[in-house]
Amino acid sequence: MTRAPVTAFIGLGANLGDAVARVQQAVQALAEWPGTCACVASRLYRSAPVDAAGPDFINAVVRLDTTLTAPALLQALQAIEAAAGRQRPYRNAPRTLDLDLLRYGDARIDSPQLVVPHPRWRQRAFVLRPLSEVAPRLVTAAMLQAVADQSCVPLDEAPEQEP
């Protein structure tokens, strides 16, 4: 029996190594993942770390339609992170790649492994700005105004610097 596709939103971020390439490779991996029916990515953004130290992040959001369950999608995201060399030495450590399941349809999940919708998606400019490109109905002007003090600019508009 084939599952009906569910629209999910994935937040992508990296701030170690070639962050731009890692995020682009992750977008490609998501588009090619078994069970993914459609994949639309935002532009890349440069953002300052929030509640963390280290270099600026490169961020994006992907909207995808998937037949994977939320736990299976989380496993797929973690496999892509592991292939990119992701390590978790401490909370909010700099990372080669971070993939967050922001939303999974209208599901509400609260388990030790997964919380959906992501608990801080509305508090982060690096989520809201790219999310507004791929899902404008999910992001209001008030939400964007609430995070206006957080540095997050499209990469093509950001000053040149190493991520």
Side-chain angles (χ1 to χ4, degrees):
M1 183 169 119
T2 304
R3 293 174 45 89
V6 174
T7 300
F9 296 92
I10 313 301
L12 300 89
N15 72 337
L16 292 178
D18 188 344
V20 170
R22 293 236 198 249
V23 170
Q24 290 171 332
Q25 290 163 355
V27 169
Q28 187 65 35
L30 288 168
E32 296 171 355
W33 201 263
T36 299
C37 309
C39 185
V40 177
S42 71
R43 292 182 290 175
L44 298 180
Y45 284 77
R46 180 182 303 283
S47 66
V50 176
D51 297 333
D56 284 355
F57 277 85
I58 300 301
N59 297 99
V61 169
V62 166
R63 179 185 77 221
L64 57 85
D65 294 335
T66 182
T67 58
L68 296 174
T69 64
L73 182 54
L74 177 64
Q75 285 184 317
L77 298 177
Q78 290 172 341
I80 294 169
E81 287 178 339
R86 170 74 190 263
Q87 296 180 5
R88 300 172 191 270
Y90 54 90
R91 182 172 165 79
N92 295 327
R95 54 207 70 153
T96 56
L97 184 64
D98 183 31
L99 302 176
D100 289 326
L101 180 53
L102 302 171
R103 296 178 62 100
Y104 182 83
D106 293 327
R108 302 244 180 252
I109 302 168
D110 190 358
S111 74
Q113 295 78 31
L114 180 61
V115 177
V116 172
H118 191 283
R120 292 174 302 284
W121 76 275
R122 294 175 188 240
Q123 301 165 1
R124 306 290 196 234
F126 64 80
V127 171
L128 293 176
R129 300 261 335 258
L131 182 63
S132 70
E133 291 182 19
V134 297
R137 292 185 184 134
L138 291 178
V139 181
T140 66
M143 292 164 78
L144 290 169
Q145 182 59 39
V147 298
D149 62 328
Q150 296 176 24
S151 172
C152 181
V153 296
L155 193 57
D156 55 3
E157 297 173 17
E160 283 297 316
Q161 65 182 40
E162 284 295 309

